[in-house]
Amino acid sequence: WQKREISNFDYLMYLNTLAGRSYNDYMQYPVFPWVLADYHSETLNLTNPHTFRDLSKPMGAQTVERKRKFIQRYNEVEKSEGDLSVQCHYCTHYSSAIIVASYLVRMEPFTQTFCSLQGGSFDVADRMFHSVKSTWESASRDNMSDVRELIPEFFYLPEFLTNANHFELGCMQDGTVLGDVQLPPWADGDPHKFILLHRQALESDYVSAHLHRWIDLIFGHKQHGSAAVEAVNTYHPYFYGNKMDLNNIKDPLIKSTILGFISNFGQIPKQV
């Protein structure tokens, strides 16, 4: 990878596999980074550093204000007299079964998976994945419970962006009927162009030079411990599967609660 003999995409897939992530498990699906921060320009400039997301920071620290709030949350738990084991920056995860299914909801079998996870029906339209730009804004800036990253399909599968099956996904409060995913202006409404440019962004010189910093956060030494605290990159203890010794938990209710939490809200990849 350092010699540029394999692509960034292939290297990320390799790391995901080493870390126990698989297409066969929605709860441990391959995780890929947001690489762009520009979802409003008419043309995409891959030579401008401001076009890109800061790969050295997790999604919860993409803006100064958001980072400050998560650090404040971490410190408030530290000062309280409660259970210090829940001290963390994030109580939600960057990858989970519902996140994966929500991205791919326009394609079977993910449609049925999403509905089953939602209790048998689609979610409220305003909460459905309907716009790349608004999803980025939610995960990077606006929503304190949303720190989601991407999945590999964002870099090779245009079909998941179209509602080819004509599912009735509902109508948003502003009257917008959900159909195809709304794409950035630079994609010209063409899912194939979006995937092409998005893949070019992933393989760009800027991302190639900075991708190792994101890898440190997700798969490497900033995943947990003091380095994670410093990087504003700690998650609820239940997300760290290797830290939870379920065999020593005798109470079946507590054990099932923890297992349900992990199943629904995500797991940190194995450290590579």
Side-chain angles (χ1 to χ4, degrees):
W1 175 63
Q2 288 179 318
K3 295 177 181 177
R4 300 289 182 95
E5 291 174 359
I6 62 171
S7 66
N8 291 337
F9 182 92
D10 288 338
Y11 186 53
L12 286 172
M13 285 304 299
Y14 173 69
L15 290 176
N16 270 285
T17 303
L18 282 182
R21 314 294 287 191
S22 168
Y23 282 120
N24 298 320
D25 186 350
Y26 293 160
M27 294 176 285
Q28 297 191 81
Y29 208 75
V31 56
F32 268 59
W34 289 94
V35 293
L36 294 173
D38 182 356
Y39 298 97
H40 56 270
S41 297
E42 294 295 328
T43 56
L44 194 61
N45 183 358
L46 296 180
T47 63
N48 182 356
H50 296 294
T51 298
F52 298 92
R53 165 257 181 104
D54 187 341
L55 288 158
S56 70
K57 296 184 176 71
M59 290 304 291
Q62 289 297 307
T63 70
V64 174
E65 177 63 16
R66 186 168 159 94
K67 179 180 178 181
R68 183 190 64 76
K69 287 179 179 177
F70 280 119
I71 292 174
Q72 182 180 0
R73 172 192 285 176
Y74 183 92
N75 291 334
E76 282 174 354
V77 175
E78 186 178 34
K79 292 172 186 173
S80 72
E81 296 178 3
D83 182 2
L84 294 183
S85 68
V86 299
Q87 184 179 22
C88 61
H89 294 106
Y90 315 115
C91 293
T92 53
H93 201 262
Y94 49 76
S95 176
S96 67
I98 193 67
I99 289 172
V100 172
S102 69
Y103 280 143
L104 300 173
V105 70
R106 290 163 178 78
M107 296 174 59
E108 291 287 15
F110 303 98
T111 312
Q112 294 305 314
T113 301
F114 181 83
C115 288
S116 64
L117 289 170
Q118 281 294 129
S121 63
F122 292 120
D123 198 0
V124 175
D126 289 80
R127 290 203 297 259
M128 297 277 287
F129 172 53
H130 66 277
S131 160
V132 178
K133 178 176 180 283
S134 66
T135 302
W136 159 256
E137 289 172 347
S138 171
S140 67
R141 188 187 71 199
D142 297 339
N143 187 346
M144 290 291 284
S145 63
D146 183 3
V147 292
R148 78 184 82 178
E149 293 278 6
L150 299 182
I151 54 175
E153 284 82 351
F154 273 85
F155 301 94
Y156 69 83
L157 189 69
E159 286 79 10
F160 87 96
L161 297 165
T162 62
N163 188 20
N165 292 314
H166 304 293
F167 292 119
E168 293 185 7
L169 302 172
C171 183
M172 297 172 64
Q173 287 184 350
D174 64 4
T176 303
V177 177
L178 264 59
D180 297 345
V181 175
Q182 296 172 11
L183 302 175
W186 46 258
D188 295 327
D190 182 351
H192 290 83
K193 185 174 182 180
F194 172 84
I195 294 294
L196 175 67
L197 292 174
H198 206 215
R199 184 65 172 265
Q200 287 177 2
L202 178 65
E203 305 299 340
S204 67
D205 289 341
Y206 179 90
V207 172
S208 297
H210 295 85
L211 187 58
H212 64 285
R213 298 183 182 277
W214 182 84
I215 291 168
D216 287 343
L217 294 169
I218 307 300
F219 303 108
H221 76 287
K222 292 183 179 179
Q223 191 191 74
H224 55 73
S226 59
V229 175
E230 190 175 334
V232 195
N233 193 43
T234 65
Y235 295 82
H236 193 286
Y238 289 172
F239 294 143
Y240 297 88
N242 59 340
K243 291 184 178 180
M244 299 301 302
D245 188 357
L246 293 173
N247 294 323
N248 288 332
I249 299 174
K250 304 303 181 187
D251 189 325
L253 182 60
I254 294 175
K255 184 181 287 190
S256 65
T257 300
I258 293 173
L259 285 171
F261 192 97
I262 295 169
S263 298
N264 287 309
F265 296 108
Q267 299 173 54
I268 300 289
K270 292 176 184 174
Q271 192 173 30
V272 176

PDB file of all heavy atoms in Angstrom, residues 81-116:
ATOM      1  N   GLU A  81     -20.432  11.263  40.555  1.00  0.00           N
ATOM      2  CA  GLU A  81     -20.185  10.153  41.477  1.00  0.00           C
ATOM      3  C   GLU A  81     -20.767   8.858  40.934  1.00  0.00           C
ATOM      4  O   GLU A  81     -20.848   7.860  41.638  1.00  0.00           O
ATOM      5  CB  GLU A  81     -20.792  10.473  42.847  1.00  0.00           C
ATOM      6  CG  GLU A  81     -20.153  11.678  43.524  1.00  0.00           C
ATOM      7  CD  GLU A  81     -20.799  11.991  44.854  1.00  0.00           C
ATOM      8  OE1 GLU A  81     -21.694  11.235  45.269  1.00  0.00           O
ATOM      9  OE2 GLU A  81     -20.403  12.994  45.475  1.00  0.00           O
ATOM     10  N   GLY A  82     -21.180   8.870  39.699  1.00  0.00           N
ATOM     11  CA  GLY A  82     -21.792   7.686  39.102  1.00  0.00           C
ATOM     12  C   GLY A  82     -20.756   6.638  38.732  1.00  0.00           C
ATOM     13  O   GLY A  82     -19.593   6.709  39.102  1.00  0.00           O
ATOM     14  N   ASP A  83     -21.209   5.651  37.954  1.00  0.00           N
ATOM     15  CA  ASP A  83     -20.338   4.559  37.516  1.00  0.00           C
ATOM     16  C   ASP A  83     -19.347   5.104  36.487  1.00  0.00           C
ATOM     17  O   ASP A  83     -19.728   5.468  35.377  1.00  0.00           O
ATOM     18  CB  ASP A  83     -21.203   3.441  36.911  1.00  0.00           C
ATOM     19  CG  ASP A  83     -20.357   2.250  36.473  1.00  0.00           C
ATOM     20  OD1 ASP A  83     -19.125   2.268  36.677  1.00  0.00           O
ATOM     21  OD2 ASP A  83     -20.946   1.312  35.931  1.00  0.00           O
ATOM     22  N   LEU A  84     -18.056   5.127  36.837  1.00  0.00           N
ATOM     23  CA  LEU A  84     -17.062   5.710  35.939  1.00  0.00           C
ATOM     24  C   LEU A  84     -16.820   4.855  34.701  1.00  0.00           C
ATOM     25  O   LEU A  84     -16.177   5.299  33.761  1.00  0.00           O
ATOM     26  CB  LEU A  84     -15.736   5.913  36.693  1.00  0.00           C
ATOM     27  CG  LEU A  84     -15.770   6.948  37.827  1.00  0.00           C
ATOM     28  CD1 LEU A  84     -14.388   7.103  38.437  1.00  0.00           C
ATOM     29  CD2 LEU A  84     -16.262   8.298  37.325  1.00  0.00           C
ATOM     30  N   SER A  85     -17.340   3.634  34.710  1.00  0.00           N
ATOM     31  CA  SER A  85     -17.133   2.764  33.546  1.00  0.00           C
ATOM     32  C   SER A  85     -17.873   3.292  32.315  1.00  0.00           C
ATOM     33  O   SER A  85     -17.580   2.896  31.200  1.00  0.00           O
ATOM     34  CB  SER A  85     -17.592   1.336  33.845  1.00  0.00           C
ATOM     35  OG  SER A  85     -19.003   1.289  33.999  1.00  0.00           O
ATOM     36  N   VAL A  86     -18.832   4.170  32.499  1.00  0.00           N
ATOM     37  CA  VAL A  86     -19.563   4.706  31.349  1.00  0.00           C
ATOM     38  C   VAL A  86     -18.955   6.024  30.870  1.00  0.00           C
ATOM     39  O   VAL A  86     -19.540   6.728  30.075  1.00  0.00           O
ATOM     40  CB  VAL A  86     -21.075   4.901  31.646  1.00  0.00           C
ATOM     41  CG1 VAL A  86     -21.717   3.578  31.990  1.00  0.00           C
ATOM     42  CG2 VAL A  86     -21.287   5.917  32.764  1.00  0.00           C
ATOM     43  N   GLN A  87     -17.773   6.346  31.367  1.00  0.00           N
ATOM     44  CA  GLN A  87     -17.104   7.562  30.899  1.00  0.00           C
ATOM     45  C   GLN A  87     -16.649   7.364  29.454  1.00  0.00           C
ATOM     46  O   GLN A  87     -15.853   6.482  29.159  1.00  0.00           O
ATOM     47  CB  GLN A  87     -15.897   7.885  31.786  1.00  0.00           C
ATOM     48  CG  GLN A  87     -15.206   9.180  31.413  1.00  0.00           C
ATOM     49  CD  GLN A  87     -14.032   9.474  32.331  1.00  0.00           C
ATOM     50  OE1 GLN A  87     -13.487   8.585  32.955  1.00  0.00           O
ATOM     51  NE2 GLN A  87     -13.645  10.730  32.398  1.00  0.00           N
ATOM     52  N   CYS A  88     -17.179   8.175  28.563  1.00  0.00           N
ATOM     53  CA  CYS A  88     -16.836   8.054  27.157  1.00  0.00           C
ATOM     54  C   CYS A  88     -17.256   9.333  26.435  1.00  0.00           C
ATOM     55  O   CYS A  88     -18.029  10.119  26.957  1.00  0.00           O
ATOM     56  CB  CYS A  88     -17.516   6.845  26.519  1.00  0.00           C
ATOM     57  SG  CYS A  88     -19.324   6.922  26.559  1.00  0.00           S
ATOM     58  N   HIS A  89     -16.743   9.504  25.238  1.00  0.00           N
ATOM     59  CA  HIS A  89     -17.164  10.643  24.422  1.00  0.00           C
ATOM     60  C   HIS A  89     -18.482  10.345  23.705  1.00  0.00           C
ATOM     61  O   HIS A  89     -19.335  11.208  23.567  1.00  0.00           O
ATOM     62  CB  HIS A  89     -16.098  10.977  23.379  1.00  0.00           C
ATOM     63  CG  HIS A  89     -14.805  11.468  23.969  1.00  0.00           C
ATOM     64  ND1 HIS A  89     -13.664  10.698  24.011  1.00  0.00           N
ATOM     65  CD2 HIS A  89     -14.492  12.653  24.558  1.00  0.00           C
ATOM     66  CE1 HIS A  89     -12.687  11.393  24.586  1.00  0.00           C
ATOM     67  NE2 HIS A  89     -13.157  12.577  24.920  1.00  0.00           N
ATOM     68  N   TYR A  90     -18.631   9.081  23.242  1.00  0.00           N
ATOM     69  CA  TYR A  90     -19.785   8.747  22.394  1.00  0.00           C
ATOM     70  C   TYR A  90     -20.544   7.548  22.949  1.00  0.00           C
ATOM     71  O   TYR A  90     -19.959   6.523  23.278  1.00  0.00           O
ATOM     72  CB  TYR A  90     -19.329   8.426  20.969  1.00  0.00           C
ATOM     73  CG  TYR A  90     -18.320   9.416  20.441  1.00  0.00           C
ATOM     74  CD1 TYR A  90     -17.012   9.033  20.151  1.00  0.00           C
ATOM     75  CD2 TYR A  90     -18.668  10.760  20.244  1.00  0.00           C
ATOM     76  CE1 TYR A  90     -16.087   9.944  19.678  1.00  0.00           C
ATOM     77  CE2 TYR A  90     -17.744  11.677  19.772  1.00  0.00           C
ATOM     78  CZ  TYR A  90     -16.448  11.260  19.494  1.00  0.00           C
ATOM     79  OH  TYR A  90     -15.525  12.172  19.031  1.00  0.00           O
ATOM     80  N   CYS A  91     -21.863   7.697  23.012  1.00  0.00           N
ATOM     81  CA  CYS A  91     -22.738   6.587  23.413  1.00  0.00           C
ATOM     82  C   CYS A  91     -23.391   5.943  22.203  1.00  0.00           C
ATOM     83  O   CYS A  91     -24.199   5.023  22.331  1.00  0.00           O
ATOM     84  CB  CYS A  91     -23.797   7.077  24.397  1.00  0.00           C
ATOM     85  SG  CYS A  91     -23.092   7.581  25.982  1.00  0.00           S
ATOM     86  N   THR A  92     -23.087   6.464  21.020  1.00  0.00           N
ATOM     87  CA  THR A  92     -23.530   5.827  19.774  1.00  0.00           C
ATOM     88  C   THR A  92     -22.275   5.476  18.975  1.00  0.00           C
ATOM     89  O   THR A  92     -21.175   5.944  19.278  1.00  0.00           O
ATOM     90  CB  THR A  92     -24.428   6.756  18.949  1.00  0.00           C
ATOM     91  OG1 THR A  92     -23.758   8.015  18.761  1.00  0.00           O
ATOM     92  CG2 THR A  92     -25.754   7.001  19.646  1.00  0.00           C
ATOM     93  N   HIS A  93     -22.456   4.651  17.955  1.00  0.00           N
ATOM     94  CA  HIS A  93     -21.317   4.090  17.225  1.00  0.00           C
ATOM     95  C   HIS A  93     -21.284   4.586  15.791  1.00  0.00           C
ATOM     96  O   HIS A  93     -22.276   5.097  15.273  1.00  0.00           O
ATOM     97  CB  HIS A  93     -21.405   2.562  17.255  1.00  0.00           C
ATOM     98  CG  HIS A  93     -20.118   1.861  16.996  1.00  0.00           C
ATOM     99  ND1 HIS A  93     -19.775   1.353  15.778  1.00  0.00           N
ATOM    100  CD2 HIS A  93     -19.085   1.598  17.823  1.00  0.00           C
ATOM    101  CE1 HIS A  93     -18.584   0.798  15.857  1.00  0.00           C
ATOM    102  NE2 HIS A  93     -18.133   0.929  17.083  1.00  0.00           N
ATOM    103  N   TYR A  94     -20.124   4.417  15.150  1.00  0.00           N
ATOM    104  CA  TYR A  94     -19.980   4.855  13.755  1.00  0.00           C
ATOM    105  C   TYR A  94     -20.407   3.793  12.759  1.00  0.00           C
ATOM    106  O   TYR A  94     -20.479   4.047  11.555  1.00  0.00           O
ATOM    107  CB  TYR A  94     -18.544   5.307  13.470  1.00  0.00           C
ATOM    108  CG  TYR A  94     -17.461   4.346  13.926  1.00  0.00           C
ATOM    109  CD1 TYR A  94     -17.182   3.178  13.208  1.00  0.00           C
ATOM    110  CD2 TYR A  94     -16.720   4.609  15.063  1.00  0.00           C
ATOM    111  CE1 TYR A  94     -16.199   2.310  13.626  1.00  0.00           C
ATOM    112  CE2 TYR A  94     -15.724   3.744  15.487  1.00  0.00           C
ATOM    113  CZ  TYR A  94     -15.464   2.595  14.766  1.00  0.00           C
ATOM    114  OH  TYR A  94     -14.485   1.716  15.183  1.00  0.00           O
ATOM    115  N   SER A  95     -20.685   2.567  13.250  1.00  0.00           N
ATOM    116  CA  SER A  95     -21.147   1.507  12.351  1.00  0.00           C
ATOM    117  C   SER A  95     -22.023   0.538  13.125  1.00  0.00           C
ATOM    118  O   SER A  95     -21.632   0.050  14.186  1.00  0.00           O
ATOM    119  CB  SER A  95     -19.958   0.747  11.750  1.00  0.00           C
ATOM    120  OG  SER A  95     -20.394  -0.331  10.948  1.00  0.00           O
ATOM    121  N   SER A  96     -23.211   0.272  12.620  1.00  0.00           N
ATOM    122  CA  SER A  96     -24.130  -0.665  13.274  1.00  0.00           C
ATOM    123  C   SER A  96     -25.040  -1.269  12.209  1.00  0.00           C
ATOM    124  O   SER A  96     -25.069  -0.816  11.065  1.00  0.00           O
ATOM    125  CB  SER A  96     -24.971   0.058  14.326  1.00  0.00           C
ATOM    126  OG  SER A  96     -25.847   0.991  13.698  1.00  0.00           O
ATOM    127  N   ALA A  97     -25.798  -2.283  12.612  1.00  0.00           N
ATOM    128  CA  ALA A  97     -26.705  -2.946  11.672  1.00  0.00           C
ATOM    129  C   ALA A  97     -27.719  -1.954  11.095  1.00  0.00           C
ATOM    130  O   ALA A  97     -28.004  -1.970   9.892  1.00  0.00           O
ATOM    131  CB  ALA A  97     -27.424  -4.094  12.370  1.00  0.00           C
ATOM    132  N   ILE A  98     -28.243  -1.074  11.940  1.00  0.00           N
ATOM    133  CA  ILE A  98     -29.265  -0.138  11.457  1.00  0.00           C
ATOM    134  C   ILE A  98     -28.661   0.909  10.533  1.00  0.00           C
ATOM    135  O   ILE A  98     -29.299   1.356   9.566  1.00  0.00           O
ATOM    136  CB  ILE A  98     -30.022   0.520  12.641  1.00  0.00           C
ATOM    137  CG1 ILE A  98     -31.294   1.234  12.159  1.00  0.00           C
ATOM    138  CG2 ILE A  98     -29.133   1.462  13.414  1.00  0.00           C
ATOM    139  CD1 ILE A  98     -32.358   0.325  11.621  1.00  0.00           C
ATOM    140  N   ILE A  99     -27.415   1.321  10.783  1.00  0.00           N
ATOM    141  CA  ILE A  99     -26.755   2.277   9.891  1.00  0.00           C
ATOM    142  C   ILE A  99     -26.539   1.648   8.524  1.00  0.00           C
ATOM    143  O   ILE A  99     -26.831   2.253   7.484  1.00  0.00           O
ATOM    144  CB  ILE A  99     -25.415   2.757  10.496  1.00  0.00           C
ATOM    145  CG1 ILE A  99     -25.669   3.670  11.699  1.00  0.00           C
ATOM    146  CG2 ILE A  99     -24.580   3.496   9.448  1.00  0.00           C
ATOM    147  CD1 ILE A  99     -24.406   4.037  12.476  1.00  0.00           C
ATOM    148  N   VAL A 100     -26.036   0.419   8.507  1.00  0.00           N
ATOM    149  CA  VAL A 100     -25.802  -0.294   7.241  1.00  0.00           C
ATOM    150  C   VAL A 100     -27.111  -0.456   6.475  1.00  0.00           C
ATOM    151  O   VAL A 100     -27.205  -0.142   5.287  1.00  0.00           O
ATOM    152  CB  VAL A 100     -25.161  -1.676   7.511  1.00  0.00           C
ATOM    153  CG1 VAL A 100     -25.097  -2.494   6.225  1.00  0.00           C
ATOM    154  CG2 VAL A 100     -23.773  -1.518   8.107  1.00  0.00           C
ATOM    155  N   ALA A 101     -28.140  -0.937   7.168  1.00  0.00           N
ATOM    156  CA  ALA A 101     -29.426  -1.172   6.508  1.00  0.00           C
ATOM    157  C   ALA A 101     -30.070   0.126   6.042  1.00  0.00           C
ATOM    158  O   ALA A 101     -30.744   0.152   5.003  1.00  0.00           O
ATOM    159  CB  ALA A 101     -30.371  -1.924   7.455  1.00  0.00           C
ATOM    160  N   SER A 102     -29.856   1.214   6.779  1.00  0.00           N
ATOM    161  CA  SER A 102     -30.450   2.497   6.377  1.00  0.00           C
ATOM    162  C   SER A 102     -29.800   3.026   5.101  1.00  0.00           C
ATOM    163  O   SER A 102     -30.476   3.584   4.238  1.00  0.00           O
ATOM    164  CB  SER A 102     -30.333   3.530   7.497  1.00  0.00           C
ATOM    165  OG  SER A 102     -28.988   3.927   7.706  1.00  0.00           O
ATOM    166  N   TYR A 103     -28.475   2.851   4.976  1.00  0.00           N
ATOM    167  CA  TYR A 103     -27.797   3.271   3.749  1.00  0.00           C
ATOM    168  C   TYR A 103     -28.302   2.470   2.532  1.00  0.00           C
ATOM    169  O   TYR A 103     -28.455   3.018   1.445  1.00  0.00           O
ATOM    170  CB  TYR A 103     -26.290   3.057   3.870  1.00  0.00           C
ATOM    171  CG  TYR A 103     -25.530   4.119   4.639  1.00  0.00           C
ATOM    172  CD1 TYR A 103     -24.451   3.772   5.459  1.00  0.00           C
ATOM    173  CD2 TYR A 103     -25.861   5.466   4.556  1.00  0.00           C
ATOM    174  CE1 TYR A 103     -23.730   4.731   6.154  1.00  0.00           C
ATOM    175  CE2 TYR A 103     -25.154   6.430   5.255  1.00  0.00           C
ATOM    176  CZ  TYR A 103     -24.084   6.058   6.050  1.00  0.00           C
ATOM    177  OH  TYR A 103     -23.380   7.008   6.740  1.00  0.00           O
ATOM    178  N   LEU A 104     -28.548   1.169   2.735  1.00  0.00           N
ATOM    179  CA  LEU A 104     -28.867   0.265   1.626  1.00  0.00           C
ATOM    180  C   LEU A 104     -30.354  -0.055   1.529  1.00  0.00           C
ATOM    181  O   LEU A 104     -30.750  -0.996   0.853  1.00  0.00           O
ATOM    182  CB  LEU A 104     -28.068  -1.039   1.788  1.00  0.00           C
ATOM    183  CG  LEU A 104     -26.540  -0.872   1.806  1.00  0.00           C
ATOM    184  CD1 LEU A 104     -25.859  -2.198   2.153  1.00  0.00           C
ATOM    185  CD2 LEU A 104     -26.035  -0.359   0.458  1.00  0.00           C
ATOM    186  N   VAL A 105     -31.185   0.766   2.180  1.00  0.00           N
ATOM    187  CA  VAL A 105     -32.604   0.450   2.334  1.00  0.00           C
ATOM    188  C   VAL A 105     -33.351   0.342   1.004  1.00  0.00           C
ATOM    189  O   VAL A 105     -34.399  -0.311   0.924  1.00  0.00           O
ATOM    190  CB  VAL A 105     -33.282   1.505   3.254  1.00  0.00           C
ATOM    191  CG1 VAL A 105     -33.370   2.865   2.562  1.00  0.00           C
ATOM    192  CG2 VAL A 105     -34.660   1.045   3.705  1.00  0.00           C
ATOM    193  N   ARG A 106     -32.836   0.943  -0.051  1.00  0.00           N
ATOM    194  CA  ARG A 106     -33.522   0.911  -1.353  1.00  0.00           C
ATOM    195  C   ARG A 106     -33.263  -0.382  -2.119  1.00  0.00           C
ATOM    196  O   ARG A 106     -33.784  -0.565  -3.224  1.00  0.00           O
ATOM    197  CB  ARG A 106     -33.108   2.132  -2.194  1.00  0.00           C
ATOM    198  CG  ARG A 106     -33.674   3.446  -1.647  1.00  0.00           C
ATOM    199  CD  ARG A 106     -32.972   4.669  -2.190  1.00  0.00           C
ATOM    200  NE  ARG A 106     -33.558   5.903  -1.681  1.00  0.00           N
ATOM    201  CZ  ARG A 106     -33.325   6.405  -0.462  1.00  0.00           C
ATOM    202  NH1 ARG A 106     -32.507   5.772   0.363  1.00  0.00           N
ATOM    203  NH2 ARG A 106     -33.904   7.523  -0.063  1.00  0.00           N
ATOM    204  N   MET A 107     -32.440  -1.260  -1.573  1.00  0.00           N
ATOM    205  CA  MET A 107     -32.112  -2.528  -2.221  1.00  0.00           C
ATOM    206  C   MET A 107     -32.476  -3.701  -1.313  1.00  0.00           C
ATOM    207  O   MET A 107     -32.246  -3.638  -0.107  1.00  0.00           O
ATOM    208  CB  MET A 107     -30.597  -2.604  -2.515  1.00  0.00           C
ATOM    209  CG  MET A 107     -30.062  -1.581  -3.488  1.00  0.00           C
ATOM    210  SD  MET A 107     -28.253  -1.672  -3.596  1.00  0.00           S
ATOM    211  CE  MET A 107     -28.038  -3.368  -4.116  1.00  0.00           C
ATOM    212  N   GLU A 108     -33.030  -4.751  -1.921  1.00  0.00           N
ATOM    213  CA  GLU A 108     -33.217  -5.991  -1.166  1.00  0.00           C
ATOM    214  C   GLU A 108     -31.889  -6.749  -1.119  1.00  0.00           C
ATOM    215  O   GLU A 108     -31.080  -6.615  -2.037  1.00  0.00           O
ATOM    216  CB  GLU A 108     -34.301  -6.864  -1.836  1.00  0.00           C
ATOM    217  CG  GLU A 108     -35.697  -6.294  -1.739  1.00  0.00           C
ATOM    218  CD  GLU A 108     -36.286  -6.397  -0.334  1.00  0.00           C
ATOM    219  OE1 GLU A 108     -35.520  -6.645   0.633  1.00  0.00           O
ATOM    220  OE2 GLU A 108     -37.499  -6.215  -0.188  1.00  0.00           O
ATOM    221  N   PRO A 109     -31.638  -7.545  -0.062  1.00  0.00           N
ATOM    222  CA  PRO A 109     -32.531  -7.846   1.068  1.00  0.00           C
ATOM    223  C   PRO A 109     -32.474  -6.814   2.189  1.00  0.00           C
ATOM    224  O   PRO A 109     -33.058  -7.010   3.246  1.00  0.00           O
ATOM    225  CB  PRO A 109     -31.978  -9.186   1.564  1.00  0.00           C
ATOM    226  CG  PRO A 109     -30.498  -9.065   1.333  1.00  0.00           C
ATOM    227  CD  PRO A 109     -30.363  -8.289   0.041  1.00  0.00           C
ATOM    228  N   PHE A 110     -31.757  -5.705   1.956  1.00  0.00           N
ATOM    229  CA  PHE A 110     -31.567  -4.721   3.022  1.00  0.00           C
ATOM    230  C   PHE A 110     -32.864  -4.009   3.389  1.00  0.00           C
ATOM    231  O   PHE A 110     -33.024  -3.562   4.525  1.00  0.00           O
ATOM    232  CB  PHE A 110     -30.496  -3.711   2.618  1.00  0.00           C
ATOM    233  CG  PHE A 110     -29.177  -4.353   2.279  1.00  0.00           C
ATOM    234  CD1 PHE A 110     -28.832  -4.602   0.961  1.00  0.00           C
ATOM    235  CD2 PHE A 110     -28.299  -4.733   3.283  1.00  0.00           C
ATOM    236  CE1 PHE A 110     -27.626  -5.203   0.655  1.00  0.00           C
ATOM    237  CE2 PHE A 110     -27.100  -5.335   2.982  1.00  0.00           C
ATOM    238  CZ  PHE A 110     -26.756  -5.578   1.663  1.00  0.00           C
ATOM    239  N   THR A 111     -33.783  -3.916   2.420  1.00  0.00           N
ATOM    240  CA  THR A 111     -35.076  -3.288   2.704  1.00  0.00           C
ATOM    241  C   THR A 111     -35.788  -4.032   3.822  1.00  0.00           C
ATOM    242  O   THR A 111     -36.259  -3.428   4.798  1.00  0.00           O
ATOM    243  CB  THR A 111     -35.963  -3.279   1.446  1.00  0.00           C
ATOM    244  OG1 THR A 111     -35.216  -2.793   0.335  1.00  0.00           O
ATOM    245  CG2 THR A 111     -37.189  -2.410   1.654  1.00  0.00           C
ATOM    246  N   GLN A 112     -35.852  -5.363   3.678  1.00  0.00           N
ATOM    247  CA  GLN A 112     -36.525  -6.172   4.692  1.00  0.00           C
ATOM    248  C   GLN A 112     -35.764  -6.151   6.013  1.00  0.00           C
ATOM    249  O   GLN A 112     -36.363  -6.138   7.088  1.00  0.00           O
ATOM    250  CB  GLN A 112     -36.686  -7.615   4.196  1.00  0.00           C
ATOM    251  CG  GLN A 112     -37.623  -7.753   3.002  1.00  0.00           C
ATOM    252  CD  GLN A 112     -38.992  -7.152   3.270  1.00  0.00           C
ATOM    253  OE1 GLN A 112     -39.592  -7.382   4.321  1.00  0.00           O
ATOM    254  NE2 GLN A 112     -39.491  -6.371   2.307  1.00  0.00           N
ATOM    255  N   THR A 113     -34.444  -6.128   5.922  1.00  0.00           N
ATOM    256  CA  THR A 113     -33.626  -6.057   7.144  1.00  0.00           C
ATOM    257  C   THR A 113     -33.915  -4.770   7.899  1.00  0.00           C
ATOM    258  O   THR A 113     -34.119  -4.775   9.119  1.00  0.00           O
ATOM    259  CB  THR A 113     -32.126  -6.118   6.793  1.00  0.00           C
ATOM    260  OG1 THR A 113     -31.856  -7.337   6.106  1.00  0.00           O
ATOM    261  CG2 THR A 113     -31.273  -6.036   8.050  1.00  0.00           C
ATOM    262  N   PHE A 114     -33.942  -3.663   7.165  1.00  0.00           N
ATOM    263  CA  PHE A 114     -34.210  -2.373   7.795  1.00  0.00           C
ATOM    264  C   PHE A 114     -35.577  -2.373   8.459  1.00  0.00           C
ATOM    265  O   PHE A 114     -35.719  -1.952   9.617  1.00  0.00           O
ATOM    266  CB  PHE A 114     -34.138  -1.254   6.751  1.00  0.00           C
ATOM    267  CG  PHE A 114     -34.366   0.125   7.313  1.00  0.00           C
ATOM    268  CD1 PHE A 114     -33.335   0.832   7.912  1.00  0.00           C
ATOM    269  CD2 PHE A 114     -35.626   0.720   7.263  1.00  0.00           C
ATOM    270  CE1 PHE A 114     -33.542   2.095   8.452  1.00  0.00           C
ATOM    271  CE2 PHE A 114     -35.846   1.985   7.795  1.00  0.00           C
ATOM    272  CZ  PHE A 114     -34.804   2.672   8.386  1.00  0.00           C
ATOM    273  N   CYS A 115     -36.578  -2.848   7.750  1.00  0.00           N
ATOM    274  CA  CYS A 115     -37.938  -2.861   8.302  1.00  0.00           C
ATOM    275  C   CYS A 115     -38.027  -3.752   9.538  1.00  0.00           C
ATOM    276  O   CYS A 115     -38.695  -3.389  10.527  1.00  0.00           O
ATOM    277  CB  CYS A 115     -38.929  -3.324   7.239  1.00  0.00           C
ATOM    278  SG  CYS A 115     -39.222  -2.116   5.922  1.00  0.00           S
ATOM    279  N   SER A 116     -37.357  -4.895   9.516  1.00  0.00           N
ATOM    280  CA  SER A 116     -37.411  -5.779  10.679  1.00  0.00           C
ATOM    281  C   SER A 116     -36.720  -5.135  11.884  1.00  0.00           C
ATOM    282  O   SER A 116     -37.180  -5.264  13.025  1.00  0.00           O
ATOM    283  CB  SER A 116     -36.774  -7.133  10.365  1.00  0.00           C
ATOM    284  OG  SER A 116     -35.394  -6.994  10.090  1.00  0.00           O
TER     285      SER A 116
END
